[in-house]
Structure formats: C-alpha cells, structure tokens
Amino acid sequence: MNLIFFQNCISPHQIPYIKECLNDDRVKKVILVVPRIDYTERLAMGWENNDNLIKDTGIKLYLRPEDITIKQLFQLPNSYFFFSGIRADKYIFKWFQMSINYKIKRGIITEPPNVYKSKPLWLHYIRFYLQDKKFIPYINYVFAFGPLAVSYYNSWSKKWKVIPFAYCTAPKKKSKEIKYNNNINLVFVGSLTKNKNVQAIFTSMQSLSSNTNLHIIGDGNEYNNLKKTANSKQIEKQVFFHGKQSMEKVHSMILDYDILILPSHYDGWGAVINEALQSGLYVICSNKCGAQALLTDSKIGKVFKTQKELSQILKECCIHIEDIRKNREKRLSWSKNISGEKIAKYFIDNLVTNQTITEPWKEKI
C-alpha cells in the first residue's frame, strides 16, 4: 500500500510514526504533502527547525504542489489518503475538497474540538452539522487524539471507523546520570497563558511541604501575573522560572525533575507528556488534555478533574516519592509503547482489519 499524508506542516509529533511506516513490509511508499515546513510562531517558542526531520527517511515530500500534482496523487492505486482534519488549514481543506472527486480510501487525523472559554461543545456540533456533516460518507477512518476526540467523532456516525490515536515524539538518548536530593521537583513545560492553568499548581503547592519545588519552563503573557501570584501565596522561594528554552535544552533539564504537571483547561494532546514519559518522569495532567489517554497505569501517572483532586494527587506523590523514583526505569522501558515503531504498526494494523486493536499505550508497566 501507499500512504499519503496531507499535513499543516512537517510535524515533529507525527513524523516519528510516519517514517516508521516505511519499515513495515505492507507499505510501499510514504508521501507527505504540506503547505509549509514550519510554523514561525513555534520556532519563536523554541521548537527546532523541521527541515531535517525527513531527510534520508525515504519519505517523498511535496511542498505546496500544483493542483495537477495533487490530482496525480489521487490516482495512485492501492493508496490511503490522510488529512490533518477537514478544515485544519486552507490548503488542507482545498486538497480535501479536491479528493472528493476520486473514489479513494480517505481518513482524517484530528484532535478534539477546542472547548476552552468561548467555544462550548454545542457550538462545535452546530458548526460541524452546518459545514462538515456532508463529508462523513467520504471518510473511512478517523484517527482521534485522546478520549474527547474519540467520543466526539463517534457521536457523529457509525459509518466511519473511529480509532483512538496518539502523537509520538522521537526518543532522546539519556544524556546524564540522575541524582536525587531531599527536594521533590515538579516541572511545568509550556506557554504561560491562562489556558495552561499554572495557577492550579500554585494553589496545590500551598498545602505541600517546603521541600517541594516547581520549575517552570516557558514564557508567555501570564509570566508577570504568575510571579505576583507566587509571591502572594508565599511560595516564591519554591518556584523557579527558567524562561523559554530550546526543545533540546528542555529534554536535558527535565531529567533533573520528578513529576511533570500539565493542568491545562484545554490541550488537544500535550506532547510534553510524551517527552516526560520518555525521560522516565511521573506525569499528572487534567482531564482536558488529550494525552490523558497515556495515563492508564497509576505507576505512570494520574489524571485530575478538580483542584481538590490535583491537590490530593500531589500530596500522595510527595508521600510516595521514593516509589515514584524507583519506577523511573520502568516508565522509561514502558515508553517504547509510544514510540514511532509501535504507533506505526498500530496505525497500519487498523487499516488492514476491521477488528478492534488494543492501543499499545494501554500496556501496564
């Protein structure tokens, strides 16, 4: 078979499994069609340039090709075509609409609808009904990131196959020995916005022991407010702001920490959770993060719904910090289940059978 992916850009959170598809005997070609290599704003946030992600992989890249080239791709026999959503980008939507003229096997790879603040779920239902419901008969597969996406797309139709899916990140080599001390080190990585809800960690820290530190990696418009809040809650000596760092530097830094917390009001996925698990960290996230799907084993991490639950989980983690540290190598070993190789096999298996396939990340440590 041939696999053709239409994506917003070269995604470092999908390339690891896309390139591994080429190592599967069932796949002949992998083609990637994108309107751009990178997003400028992501580079500004410290993301690495994506130019080198597909070099020497065997993936054929088309960068904003002419329409005639797109039409030729749709005529490739024994091919599956995947779009990063229907309206993820004006180019993606254009190419998706062009594909309707061809009798092909078609799928979307998509996050859940963004329900943060002024975007309630009922508005998404209305928009989808008015704009996209007509496309359902043309879509065979929905690879949905996280349980919120799975439930949303399952609610629309039984005619398409909705498959739980996961982003994956390339594993980094362990670059240094991990040395623990008497401090318990929490870490948050991400943009400092209201959506990321870092304030929730501050609130919970007030009931934790003074040897519990929080390291914040990232920058954003909430930086000054968070500084003021840390002072007002009298935890300023336990909170360390490290600013924006390159992704390579982030990997090196988080090796020094025990627990990653992602308390977002909304995150379509939250790839930093993958990065943390591949570094052996314990992970806590809100039930509004798509990557909560990875935390099905309490030895890997936990999901919270309320502020009270977050506080209770953190208290338990502090009490059992030695067990969390002892299980670090087990989490590192388990993280192979979210590797490009495992995700690629799961992806292709779902294309060649109608049977239900257990997600690799549901394996216990």
Side-chain angles (χ1 to χ4, degrees):
M1 72 174 74
N2 303 311
L3 301 177
I4 297 93
F5 297 90
F6 294 83
Q7 295 192 329
N8 306 41
C9 67
I10 299 178
S11 169
H13 302 145
Q14 294 198 60
I15 290 300
Y17 82 82
I18 290 176
K19 70 180 182 181
E20 286 294 340
C21 287
L22 274 170
N23 294 324
D24 192 299
D25 292 338
R26 296 168 289 184
V27 176
K28 183 179 179 181
K29 292 181 182 178
V30 172
I31 296 171
L32 179 61
V33 185
V34 296
R36 65 187 67 79
I37 301 296
D38 300 288
Y39 279 108
T40 304
E41 58 268 29
R42 289 181 177 178
L43 294 174
M45 289 169 61
W47 288 40
E48 296 169 21
N49 191 292
N50 293 334
D51 276 334
N52 296 319
L53 289 177
I54 64 170
K55 285 184 178 179
D56 303 320
T57 62
I59 296 173
K60 174 65 175 177
L61 175 68
Y62 288 92
L63 177 60
R64 203 180 299 178
E66 299 292 332
D67 287 356
I68 185 64
T69 302
I70 297 293
K71 293 175 181 178
Q72 290 170 349
L73 289 176
F74 289 140
Q75 295 176 64
L76 282 175
N78 191 28
S79 298
Y80 294 76
F81 299 83
F82 297 96
F83 300 82
S84 54
I86 298 173
R87 298 176 185 270
D89 174 280
K90 67 178 182 179
Y91 292 99
I92 300 297
F93 185 48
K94 174 188 173 182
W95 296 332
F96 179 84
Q97 287 182 302
M98 289 174 63
S99 79
I100 299 300
N101 297 316
Y102 299 86
K103 191 176 181 180
I104 60 176
K105 295 173 182 175
R106 189 184 292 102
I108 58 174
I109 303 174
T110 184
E111 295 182 355
N114 184 344
V115 293
Y116 179 54
K117 279 197 171 180
S118 61
K119 302 173 182 176
L121 190 58
W122 62 268
L123 270 181
H124 289 281
Y125 273 105
I126 291 174
R127 187 211 62 79
F128 191 93
Y129 182 84
L130 295 175
Q131 294 184 322
D132 295 341
K133 186 173 183 287
K134 60 181 176 287
F135 296 127
I136 289 176
Y138 299 98
I139 298 172
N140 306 98
Y141 307 95
V142 179
F143 285 87
F145 291 111
L148 299 176
V150 171
S151 62
Y152 178 75
Y153 287 100
N154 264 327
S155 71
W156 276 108
S157 178
K158 299 301 179 186
K159 293 181 180 179
W160 53 20
K161 182 179 180 182
V162 179
I163 301 149
F165 205 46
Y167 282 118
C168 62
T169 53
K172 305 291 193 304
K173 291 183 179 179
K174 190 174 173 181
S175 57
K176 59 184 177 183
E177 288 299 317
I178 301 166
K179 295 181 180 180
Y180 298 116
N181 53 39
N182 291 329
N183 292 326
I184 298 169
N185 290 298
L186 316 177
V187 61
F188 166 87
V189 181
S191 56
L192 302 185
T193 62
K194 288 185 177 179
N195 176 49
K196 292 296 184 178
N197 195 26
V198 178
Q199 298 269 10
I201 310 176
F202 287 2
T203 298
S204 293
M205 283 187 67
Q206 288 183 285
S207 60
L208 302 179
S209 61
S210 59
N211 70 327
T212 305
N213 294 330
L214 172 63
H215 298 266
I216 297 176
I217 304 173
D219 200 356
N221 54 26
E222 280 293 293
Y223 177 87
N224 289 331
N225 285 338
L226 291 171
K227 278 269 191 179
K228 291 177 183 176
T229 302
N231 287 328
S232 67
K233 292 184 180 292
Q234 298 182 329
I235 55 171
E236 69 277 5
K237 292 182 179 179
Q238 297 166 255
V239 179
F240 300 87
F241 291 84
H242 298 281
K244 181 179 68 179
Q245 304 289 338
S246 70
M247 296 308 291
E248 195 63 36
K249 179 67 173 176
V250 169
H251 169 71
S252 176
M253 291 175 70
I254 65 175
L255 288 172
D256 291 326
Y257 309 135
D258 299 297
I259 300 167
L260 175 105
I261 309 175
L262 189 61
S264 306
H265 290 301
Y266 170 84
D267 247 309
W269 184 254
V272 67
I273 288 177
N274 295 63
E275 298 272 3
L277 292 171
Q278 288 175 317
S279 296
L281 272 69
Y282 193 82
V283 172
I284 301 169
C285 78
S286 76
N287 68 328
K288 303 301 183 182
C289 300
Q292 65 176 291
L294 304 181
L295 309 181
T296 58
D297 186 334
S298 61
K299 293 180 181 178
I300 295 171
K302 287 190 176 181
V303 180
F304 71 90
K305 294 181 181 179
T306 65
Q307 180 72 60
K308 184 178 179 180
E309 286 184 2
L310 173 59
S311 297
Q312 185 58 40
I313 290 170
L314 279 171
K315 286 179 183 178
E316 292 174 358
C317 286
C318 290
I319 292 170
H320 301 290
I321 191 63
E322 292 304 319
D323 290 331
I324 285 174
R325 289 172 173 174
K326 286 177 184 177
N327 284 325
R328 187 165 194 149
E329 289 299 324
K330 290 182 180 180
R331 286 189 292 274
L332 279 169
S333 178
W334 173 91
S335 69
K336 69 180 185 297
N337 293 303
I338 53 173
S339 66
E341 182 180 6
K342 282 289 187 79
I343 301 296
K345 182 179 184 304
Y346 172 75
F347 180 80
I348 297 166
D349 285 348
N350 272 289
L351 301 181
V352 300
T353 181
N354 288 322
Q355 295 179 355
T356 300
I357 300 171
T358 301
E359 302 94 291
W361 53 88
K362 284 190 173 180
E363 182 177 316
K364 304 294 184 180
I365 68 173

